[in-house]
Amino acid sequence: MYAIVDIAGKQFKVTQDQFVYAPLMEGEEGASVEFSNVLLVGDDKGAEVGAPTLKGAKVTGKILGHVKGDKVIVFKKKRRKGYKKRNGHRQDFTKVLIEGISK
């Protein structure tokens, strides 16, 4: 069984026992979280689509930790002007283990 769930404005296709790197959420390590914005639930027989979300469907998970993503280098340059600017950025993520999907 799989589901498409909206977590902090981003959509993820999740299955049970899968790790998801979602945008930074509040909560401590080991805390359980519940996502009720389920857009679609499907399995081998077919899919059930919400309009826009499914009533009563939810995805449960557990926070495994807060991590940072890979560094992204931002480099700006104006040719023939002697202007160069180098900057870096690392996005914060929350690692979530999907424990269950219910309709």
Side-chain angles (χ1 to χ4, degrees):
M1 178 179 279
Y2 67 94
I4 296 183
V5 63
D6 185 350
I7 302 172
K10 297 188 184 286
Q11 294 178 7
F12 295 93
K13 180 180 178 183
V14 296
T15 58
Q16 192 168 352
D17 299 327
Q18 175 187 359
F19 297 108
V20 174
Y21 290 95
L24 187 65
M25 297 185 294
E26 293 182 9
E28 298 178 7
E29 266 185 55
S32 64
V33 290
E34 187 174 290
F35 307 110
S36 59
N37 289 340
V38 180
L39 306 173
L40 181 140
V41 174
D43 54 8
D44 296 340
K45 298 175 181 116
E48 191 175 332
V49 182
T53 59
L54 287 170
K55 303 280 189 216
K58 62 184 174 182
V59 174
T60 57
K62 183 165 75 170
I63 295 176
L64 297 180
H66 302 290
V67 296
K68 285 192 169 194
D70 294 335
K71 187 160 195 164
V72 176
I73 303 298
V74 180
F75 187 75
K76 299 178 182 181
K77 181 180 178 178
K78 304 227 184 256
R79 63 185 198 156
R80 297 188 301 266
K81 305 296 182 204
Y83 173 78
K84 291 190 291 186
K85 180 79 63 174
R86 183 179 184 268
N87 199 353
H89 176 75
R90 289 183 73 185
Q91 190 72 33
D92 293 320
F93 293 105
T94 300
K95 187 175 182 181
V96 179
L97 172 66
I98 303 299
E99 292 180 327
I101 300 170
S102 64
K103 289 187 190 184

